[in-house]
Amino acid sequence: MYHGGNNFAPQAAGTALLKKRAMTELDDPSLDRLKHHFAQRVIHQARHLLEVWQRLSRSEWTSAGMAELAEAGLRLQRYAERFEQAEHADLAKAIAQCLNAVQDNRGRLSSELITELNRLMQRLSRTGLRHGDQFEQTHLPPLRKPVYLALQDQERAERLAQQLEFFGMAAQPCEHANAFRAAMADRHPAAIVMEIDFANGQGLALADEAQAGLKQKLPVLFFSHEETDTPTRLAAARAGGQDFFSGALDASGLLEKIETLTRVAHYEPFRVLIVDDSRAQAAHTEMVLNSAGIVTRALTAPLSVMAELAEFQPDLIILDMYMPECLGTELAKVIRQHERYVSVPIIYLSAEDDLDKQLDAMSEGGDDFLTKPIKPRHLIATVRNRAARARSLKARMVRDSLTGLYNHTHTLQLLDDARFRARREERPLTFAMLDIDHFKRVNDTYGHPMGDRVIKSLALFLKQRLRKTDHIGRYGGEEFAVVLPDTDAASAHKVLEEIRQRFAEIHYPAQPHDLSCTFSCGIAELGEEMDIKTLAKQADEALYTAKHGGRNRVEVYK
C-alpha cells in the first residue's frame, strides 16, 4: 500500500501494534465483535465495487465509469490491508493492475483484460457468498443483499429463512410492521416476500410505502394462504409485485424466482469473432466493441475460421463481404454446414450499399447487414441485441426445461471442451455423477409434483454451491452430472461431500410429515490419453459403488 511519506510507516506500525495488543487483551466475545466490525467495512466496500462493476458491464465502458471502478478498488485495497483481510487485498491489487493495463493501452479494453477482470470479479463475488467460503479471520455475511420476509406466521418465516440459508441466500424475517420499516431504513433488500395479511392486513400498504420515492422499484413477491381476487392481485402488481404465491411457500420455488429477478453476481461478456482481411478495419471494429465490454477476436485469414470457432466459441460472427480468399457469403455457407454453429448470428459488415446484393447476402446464412462506415453506437446495439437473443435461444435448446441445467447432450459437449482445455493447459479435470436416493419412493409416496420439487431443489442447490466455471447438467431423470475444471479428485470430493451433507438437512413441507432427501455421488479424474466416454464410465462406476455402499455418500473412482 502507498504510505504517502516517511513519517507514516512508524505511526502505522504503532497503530497496528496497539490494535493487536488491544485485540489480544479482549475476551473472546469482544474479539469476535471487533473482528466482525472490521470485516464489515471490508465487505461493504467489496459490495460497492461489485455494484459498480455490474453497472459498468450493462453499459458502455466510459472513462468516468472506469475511474469510478478504479477508485472503488483502491478503497477496497486500503480497507482490506488495514483490517488484515489478505484475500480481498490481493484481489483489489490484481484488479488495480488490470485497470492500469487498460490505461497503459490508451484506454483500450483487450479481450484478455476483459476476461481477467471478469475472472477477478467472479472471485470477489464468491468471497463470503457461498457456505464454506470464509474470510481469513472470521465468518462474514454474504455479499449479496438479504431478502426480507414479512410473514404473519413467525415460525414459518424463521423456517423459510433457514431453508434459504441452505441455498446460500441471506433472509431476514420481520416480526411486525415497525421491524420491517426499520430493516428498510437500514438497508434495501434484494427482494421482499410480503404476505397480504402481514401486520393485520397491512401487507399491501407496507409494500407501497417501501417503494415510495425509489427510482428503481424493489422486486416484491406476495403471498397469501388463500386464492385471492383480481383486484387484490392488481393492487399487488401496482405495489411492485413480480409474482404471487398462494397456498404453500417452499424455499426452492421462492429462490428460483428471486434468482431470476435479481440476477446477482456473474457477468458473462459477449464474445464476437471478427473476420476481415483488413487489419485496420478489424482493429477498429475490435476497439469499438471492446469499449462496450465485449470480448473480441479478429481473424484476417478467413480459411482458418473453423478452428477459431471451435476454440473461441463466439456468441456472434461479424463477416466482411469481400475478401481475397473467399466471399463472406461463401464463408457463411461453410459455417452453417456445421450443426454446432447453425444458430450463431452472422452479421455482414461491408461498404456494399447495393440493397439487392445486401438481401442476397443475408439469404446466404446472414442475419443482418451493416454498411460501412457505421456509427459505434449502432454497431454496439446491433451486436448486443443479436447476441443476447442468440444466447436466450441457445439456452432453451441446450437446457433442461424443468431445472434450467444443461441437458445430457450438451453436458457431454461441455465435458469434451473441458477435456481439450485441460490437456492443452495441463490442468486437472474432474467429472461427477449424482443420483437422488430412493427417488421412486418419493414419487410413489408424495406424488410427482413433490419429486419435481426435489429435483429442482437439488439443481438450485448445486448452482448456489458450485463455482460459475463449473458446468452442471441434468443427466436424466433424478441423475445429475458436474464438470469441474481445474479440480482434482480430492478437491472435488471435499466440495461435493459438503454439498451432500447440507442437502440432507433440507426439509420439504409435506403430509403426514416433512420430507428430506439425500443423494449419492461418484467422482472420476481425467487421466492421460483418456476420452470422455471412459471418464463418464469411471464416474458412473464410482456412483454404483456409492449406491451399493449404503447410499448418501461420495465415492472416488479407484
Side-chain angles (χ1 to χ4, degrees):
M1 185 174 73
Y2 175 70
H3 294 303
N6 294 331
N7 295 329
F8 181 82
Q11 182 183 357
T15 303
L17 182 63
L18 286 172
K19 184 177 75 173
K20 185 175 182 181
R21 186 179 300 160
M23 290 177 74
T24 53
E25 290 172 357
L26 290 169
D27 57 8
D28 285 344
S30 299
L31 179 61
D32 287 341
R33 282 198 298 274
L34 191 57
K35 285 180 181 178
H36 188 267
H37 171 74
F38 289 155
Q40 283 282 26
R41 297 287 298 276
V42 177
I43 203 152
H44 173 79
Q45 189 55 40
R47 183 183 296 119
H48 175 65
L49 176 59
L50 284 170
E51 286 172 353
V52 174
W53 164 256
Q54 288 170 355
R55 191 168 69 248
L56 195 62
S57 70
R58 288 193 294 266
S59 61
E60 292 188 35
W61 294 40
T62 62
S63 57
M66 294 290 282
E68 185 182 5
L69 189 68
E71 177 61 28
L74 184 61
R75 283 201 299 271
L76 174 61
Q77 183 179 336
R78 283 203 299 261
Y79 286 145
E81 289 177 341
R82 189 178 185 184
F83 301 136
E84 300 174 4
Q85 298 290 350
E87 183 180 9
H88 286 80
D90 290 344
L91 284 171
K93 287 177 186 174
I95 290 168
Q97 287 173 356
C98 273
L99 295 176
N100 288 337
V102 173
Q103 189 173 13
D104 293 342
N105 200 25
R106 292 177 296 179
R108 182 170 178 258
L109 285 157
S110 68
S111 301
E112 292 75 16
L113 288 172
I114 296 173
T115 303
E116 179 62 11
L117 271 171
N118 187 40
R119 187 184 68 82
L120 292 168
M121 293 299 177
Q122 287 177 40
R123 284 182 57 193
L124 183 62
S125 72
R126 287 198 294 271
T127 52
L129 181 60
R130 293 173 180 78
H131 179 80
D133 286 339
Q134 301 165 5
F135 288 94
E136 190 171 310
Q137 295 181 339
T138 183
H139 294 275
L140 289 179
L143 274 171
R144 69 171 50 180
K145 295 177 181 179
V147 174
Y148 292 160
L149 305 178
L151 304 179
Q152 188 73 359
D153 184 342
Q154 277 306 296
E155 186 178 340
R156 176 197 289 266
E158 294 288 349
R159 189 166 63 245
L160 185 60
Q162 186 181 40
Q163 296 290 299
L164 289 172
E165 289 290 344
F166 284 135
F167 289 106
M169 180 169 282
Q172 181 178 327
C174 302
E175 295 183 15
H176 44 69
N178 287 338
F180 175 74
R181 290 188 179 102
M184 286 296 303
D186 180 55
R187 184 185 179 193
H188 287 166
I192 300 168
V193 179
M194 176 70 72
E195 187 171 347
I196 294 291
D197 294 332
F198 178 67
N200 299 318
Q202 296 183 62
L204 285 169
L206 284 169
D208 260 330
E209 182 183 314
Q211 303 281 25
L214 296 182
K215 290 183 179 178
Q216 188 171 351
K217 300 298 183 184
L218 296 168
V220 184
L221 306 174
F222 283 98
F223 167 70
S224 174
H225 282 288
E226 308 295 333
E227 275 294 336
T228 53
D229 55 21
T230 301
T232 302
R233 285 183 174 256
L234 186 59
R238 287 169 176 166
Q242 299 288 332
D243 209 334
F244 203 115
F245 296 89
S246 56
L249 191 64
D250 72 285
S252 59
L254 187 61
L255 181 71
E256 184 177 31
K257 190 64 183 179
I258 293 170
E259 285 282 317
T260 303
L261 291 172
T262 55
R263 292 291 180 200
V264 196
H266 190 56
Y267 164 54
E268 190 66 55
F270 293 124
R271 303 166 70 82
V272 175
L273 179 65
I274 302 162
V275 185
D276 196 317
D277 65 301
S278 167
R279 292 186 183 277
Q281 180 60 48
H284 174 72
T285 305
E286 276 199 290
M287 182 185 68
V288 170
L289 296 179
N290 287 163
S291 73
I294 295 168
V295 174
T296 58
R297 184 174 293 186
L299 182 64
T300 54
L303 296 188
S304 60
V305 69
M306 298 315 300
E308 288 292 338
L309 283 172
E311 164 67 18
F312 189 53
Q313 293 294 310
D315 294 295
L316 181 142
I317 302 164
I318 293 178
L319 283 183
D320 186 18
M321 266 284 287
Y322 302 110
M323 295 176 283
E325 294 177 293
C326 66
L327 296 175
T329 51
E330 294 172 330
L331 199 56
K333 282 183 182 179
V334 172
I335 293 170
R336 294 296 190 220
Q337 287 168 3
H338 289 71
E339 187 177 344
R340 194 170 181 185
Y341 308 118
V342 165
S343 59
V344 178
I346 294 176
I347 296 177
Y348 295 109
L349 182 58
S350 172
E352 178 61 71
D353 58 1
D354 186 298
L355 182 58
D356 289 333
K357 290 182 179 179
Q358 290 182 4
L359 293 174
D360 287 342
M362 287 178 61
S363 68
E364 299 288 357
D367 295 279
D368 211 336
F369 199 108
L370 301 178
T371 307
K372 302 175 188 175
I374 184 171
K375 291 182 179 178
R377 288 181 63 189
H378 184 184
L379 177 61
I380 291 167
T382 303
V383 167
R384 275 189 169 155
N385 292 337
R386 289 283 183 184
R389 192 173 299 118
R391 271 196 185 175
S392 177
L393 290 171
K394 183 179 179 182
R396 293 174 184 273
M397 289 163 46
V398 303
R399 292 185 183 274
D400 167 62
S401 59
L402 178 66
T403 62
L405 301 179
Y406 295 117
N407 58 31
H408 181 104
T409 303
H410 194 66
T411 301
L412 291 179
Q413 181 66 66
L414 291 168
L415 178 61
D416 199 31
D417 293 344
R419 183 191 66 85
F420 175 79
R421 285 192 294 272
R423 282 272 177 272
R424 184 188 61 201
E425 299 169 9
E426 298 182 348
R427 304 288 297 171
L429 172 68
T430 305
F431 185 59
M433 294 180 66
L434 294 73
D435 190 85
I436 299 172
D437 297 324
H438 303 297
F439 187 71
K440 186 176 184 300
R441 189 184 303 170
V442 173
N443 277 336
D444 292 346
T445 306
Y446 297 93
H448 288 276
M450 178 60 80
D452 287 350
R453 185 182 299 179
V454 172
I455 287 173
K456 289 167 69 176
S457 172
L458 179 53
L460 284 164
F461 203 70
L462 291 169
K463 283 192 282 188
Q464 286 287 319
R465 303 295 166 129
L466 292 169
R467 301 168 302 180
K468 295 295 183 185
T469 50
D470 299 326
H471 306 301
I472 313 165
R474 186 181 179 196
Y475 220 54
E478 68 274 20
E479 198 168 54
F480 296 77
V482 183
V483 181
L484 298 120
D486 299 328
T487 308
D488 58 27
S491 301
H493 183 276
K494 182 179 179 181
V495 169
L496 290 165
E497 174 64 19
E498 182 178 355
I499 290 175
R500 180 196 63 79
Q501 293 174 11
R502 297 287 288 175
F503 181 72
E505 298 173 14
I506 299 175
H507 291 268
Y508 305 91
Q511 296 296 331
H513 50 77
D514 288 357
L515 168 69
S516 61
C517 292
T518 61
F519 67 78
S520 301
C521 176
I523 295 170
E525 185 174 347
L526 182 69
E528 292 185 14
E529 305 302 322
M530 186 185 291
D531 58 19
I532 62 167
K533 188 179 292 185
T534 305
L535 184 61
K537 182 181 178 184
Q538 289 184 357
D540 192 47
E541 288 179 15
L543 175 60
Y544 181 86
T545 302
K547 285 286 189 184
H548 287 263
R551 294 183 171 87
N552 191 22
R553 59 198 299 154
V554 179
E555 294 284 350
V556 177
Y557 178 81
K558 296 174 183 176

